[in-house]
Amino acid sequence: MVATLLSLKFHLTIAELKRSTVRLVLWIIGGLYVLAMIVGILVILASTSSAVKGAEAQTGSLIVLVGSLIVIGWILLPLVFFGSDQTLDPARFTQFPLKGSQLAPGLAVAGIVGLPGFFTALIALGSALPWVQVPVAFAFGLVGGVLGWFMTQLGARAASATLSGMLSSRKAKDMTGMISLIVILMLSMVGSMVSIVIQAFSSSPDLWQQTLATVDRVSAVLSWTPLGAPWALATDAGRGQWLLLVGHLVVTLAYIVLGLWGFGAILDRALVAPAHAESTTVITKGDFVAKAANWFWANGSMTPVAAITARCLRYWRRDPRYLGQMPAILLMPILFTVMSRFMGSSITMDGGEGIPGWASVGMIAFGLGFMALMTGYTMSADVSSDSTAWWIHLASGVKGWQDRLGRVFGNMVWAAPLIIIVGVAVAIINGSTARIPAVLGAMLVLYLTALAVASVFSALIIYPMPLPGESPLRMKSAMMGAQMLSQMGSMGISAVLALPVCLWAVFTRGWTDWLILIVGIVWGVIVLVVGVILGGKVMDSRGPAILLTLRKNDSRERG
């Protein structure tokens, strides 16, 4: 059964990749990139073998801790990427006379067919490389790596099968989509965090010793749990602690047997009663969009504007494709502010004069400016996110300027206060309260010009987006090229339009900071009005073409 499931997973994976040339190319490029990183990690692990002698305990503790984190990561994987790999979904085996105990080992081992499982297996086996100069420890390290890798796959499969019922609902999928985006953004900051940690350790030797002592204590506990037991085998053999080796090996095998039994029991229930997504209900009575008709300004030609504004606000409250952009928007000012402050303090601690003041200010200004541009650019995906439901605008005779203005209002309701709060907070944190008007003037002109340009570009370039109800992480063919073109063009033009005010904000001081705030808002509003008018005319002239593009981008239309 194990060989059958491995073969099935392999052929299904190949068939899935053959469906899209773009996906295959991205899969190959991503695989080669990650493989290069893993080769570098393996080389580093192998190079530490000469330093293991005399430091067996510390080496073993670090391996147990890292291995435990890898197992935890795989167990938590369903919360982050639930439904991303359904090639061997247990629900597909309900029509066959199979027991859970027959499927459990094969489903776990089948994780090797796939980039995440394969690369994890390389890392797991590579955990034995520090012991390469101690043959016995190296051999048990390989055994521990195999058992540790199997523990990761068993934990991930069991967690996925257990949570499938809870995570199959629409709200749960939205939640996991948000968690996924947050995790990815946090991973993008790993490089910066590592450099900060290295700087902290280099400036305080005592901190390193305290950390090692804590790691030893934590690893001693983890080595008797399912998370760390497999990774402790090489250390026991390297230190000649044979009784501990036998104990850890027995505990590891016991955990695997219990895990297979538990996973089999979960599969037995899944094969009899597979999880189904809860039914969806149509929102009608008391709906936020319906109440928009009662807004005081929703009269005459502004009635469709109010309805579109209310619908956009509902999307920003409930749609993970919209909400998933919030962490990315907030990341830039936080990251560059932290980096500027830390780099200045760390270089000063090393005996230097710290980074120049203009460089620190430049990093913070870039983070704030990029946030403002990104916030305005988010409107460029509105029409694509509507998908084929946009036909209602075309059929009901909604004018282009009404569509553009409604989406602008829906964006400004939450974005303008957010930009003001972030700008004021960053200025206060950096002791530049006197510069708050200039900071807000530059950020608001960048935001308003980005909204204006997005009003035009979102009617010109309709790129594929995840459909309503799909994960915000789902990629479609041709998405990257069109989206990159839209983003680069839109943000580049927006930056050029706002550049005079931004340069003024950088080089001026005193009472003129308030003048920058006024001029920035006035100029931004003028550009925004022009953008709404032009974008509306483009939408009026391209209405049928826009709907045709949306139909082509809809995966349900493409089968």
Side-chain angles (χ1 to χ4, degrees):
M1 180 59 68
V2 173
T4 301
L5 291 176
L6 277 172
S7 176
L8 180 61
K9 176 68 180 293
F10 176 78
H11 286 93
L12 288 175
T13 302
I14 295 298
E16 184 69 19
L17 291 174
K18 287 182 177 179
R19 293 180 59 185
S20 172
T21 304
V22 174
R23 181 182 301 178
L24 177 60
V25 172
L26 293 177
W27 187 86
I28 294 173
I29 294 174
L32 292 175
Y33 177 77
V34 177
L35 182 61
M37 294 178 59
I38 290 178
V39 170
I41 295 173
L42 296 180
V43 170
I44 294 173
L45 289 173
S47 65
T48 62
S49 60
S50 58
V52 168
K53 190 173 182 180
E56 292 87 353
Q58 291 82 0
T59 302
S61 296
L62 289 173
I63 291 175
V64 169
L65 179 61
V66 174
S68 300
L69 291 176
I70 292 175
V71 176
I72 292 174
W74 273 94
I75 293 174
L76 297 179
L77 197 65
L79 287 176
V80 182
F81 298 109
F82 177 76
S84 60
D85 183 9
Q86 295 294 311
T87 51
L88 290 184
D89 185 0
R92 296 188 174 189
F93 297 93
T94 54
Q95 300 178 357
F96 301 96
L98 297 172
K99 296 181 179 179
S101 58
Q102 295 175 279
L103 291 174
L107 290 178
V109 174
I112 193 68
V113 183
L115 292 183
F118 177 71
F119 289 145
T120 303
L122 292 180
I123 294 294
L125 293 175
S127 66
L129 290 175
W131 305 98
V132 72
Q133 296 186 12
V134 185
V136 176
F138 179 69
F140 277 101
L142 293 176
V143 174
V146 172
L147 296 176
W149 176 83
F150 186 78
M151 195 73 77
T152 63
Q153 305 305 304
L154 183 60
R157 284 290 182 178
S160 179
T162 302
L163 298 173
S164 61
M166 293 181 287
L167 298 182
S168 59
S169 66
R170 170 68 180 271
K171 290 183 178 179
K173 289 180 179 178
D174 293 351
M175 179 194 70
T176 56
M178 283 294 299
I179 295 174
S180 304
L181 291 168
I182 293 173
V183 170
I184 290 175
L185 289 172
M186 292 177 64
L187 290 176
S188 68
M189 300 174 62
V190 167
S192 301
M193 295 298 105
V194 169
S195 63
I196 291 175
V197 171
I198 292 175
Q199 289 283 353
F201 281 138
S202 63
S203 62
S204 178
D206 293 338
L207 180 61
W208 174 249
Q209 296 300 327
Q210 295 172 5
T211 303
L212 286 179
T214 302
V215 169
D216 289 339
R217 291 192 296 269
V218 173
S219 298
V221 176
L222 290 174
S223 65
W224 294 102
T225 67
L227 306 175
W231 314 103
L233 299 182
T235 306
D236 296 337
R239 301 177 66 185
Q241 297 177 332
W242 305 111
L243 288 178
L244 278 178
L245 172 63
V246 173
H248 284 138
L249 183 59
V250 171
V251 166
T252 300
L253 295 176
Y255 283 137
I256 289 177
V257 171
L258 288 174
L260 287 172
W261 175 81
F263 185 29
I266 295 171
L267 289 176
D268 284 333
R269 292 196 298 271
L271 292 172
V272 174
H276 295 283
E278 62 184 21
S279 59
T280 57
T281 57
V282 179
I283 303 174
T284 52
K285 186 177 181 180
D287 180 47
F288 185 67
V289 176
K291 292 180 180 179
N294 298 323
W295 292 353
F296 71 93
W297 54 276
N299 298 311
S301 61
M302 294 298 291
T303 301
V305 177
I308 294 171
T309 300
R311 193 184 70 219
C312 290
L313 289 174
R314 185 173 69 187
Y315 289 163
W316 279 107
R317 292 198 330 267
R318 301 176 55 182
D319 195 327
R321 299 174 301 165
Y322 285 73
L323 292 173
Q325 301 176 76
M326 295 299 294
I329 290 172
L330 295 173
L331 174 66
M332 297 304 292
I334 295 174
L335 178 61
F336 280 91
T337 300
V338 171
M339 288 177 61
S340 66
R341 293 178 65 84
F342 179 81
M343 288 177 64
S345 61
S346 63
I347 296 175
T348 303
M349 285 189 297
D350 290 342
E353 298 180 353
I355 59 176
W358 62 266
S360 177
V361 172
M363 293 177 66
I364 297 172
F366 178 81
L368 293 175
F370 195 82
M371 172 201 172
L373 284 174
M374 278 293 296
T375 306
Y377 172 75
T378 56
M379 206 191 85
S380 67
D382 276 17
V383 176
S384 299
S385 298
D386 283 351
S387 188
T388 51
W390 188 80
W391 74 270
I392 298 176
H393 286 217
L394 200 60
S396 59
V398 173
K399 296 180 180 179
W401 70 267
Q402 294 172 325
D403 179 283
R404 304 289 81 194
L405 188 59
R407 296 181 192 274
V408 166
F409 284 167
N411 191 288
M412 292 180 65
V413 166
W414 64 268
L418 179 64
I419 288 174
I420 293 173
I421 292 171
V422 172
V424 172
V426 171
I428 293 175
I429 291 172
N430 289 277
S432 303
T433 53
R435 302 242 60 203
I436 288 178
V439 170
L440 294 182
M443 292 185 70
L444 288 174
V445 73
L446 284 167
Y447 167 65
L448 292 173
T449 54
L451 268 182
V453 177
S455 298
V456 179
F457 268 64
S458 60
L460 284 173
I461 303 176
I462 310 296
Y463 51 84
M465 286 286 293
L467 296 174
E470 288 185 342
S471 169
L473 297 176
R474 180 166 181 176
M475 299 292 293
K476 297 177 184 290
S477 59
M479 177 186 293
M480 295 185 63
Q483 188 172 8
M484 186 176 299
L485 175 64
S486 173
Q487 185 171 5
M488 293 178 61
S490 178
M491 295 181 68
I493 296 174
S494 304
V496 170
L497 290 172
L499 185 60
V501 177
C502 294
L503 290 177
W504 188 15
V506 170
F507 294 107
T508 190
R509 294 292 186 276
W511 64 271
T512 53
D513 284 358
W514 290 99
L515 188 59
I516 292 170
L517 176 60
I518 297 173
V519 172
I521 294 176
V522 172
W523 174 243
V525 170
I526 292 174
V527 176
L528 179 58
V529 170
V530 174
V532 168
I533 294 174
L534 289 178
K537 290 183 177 180
V538 172
M539 181 162 282
D540 288 336
S541 63
R542 296 191 70 247
I546 292 174
L547 182 59
L548 180 61
T549 304
L550 290 172
R551 287 177 61 88
K552 290 180 179 179
N553 293 343
D554 193 328
S555 63
R556 289 170 299 194
E557 297 292 336
R558 293 186 287 111

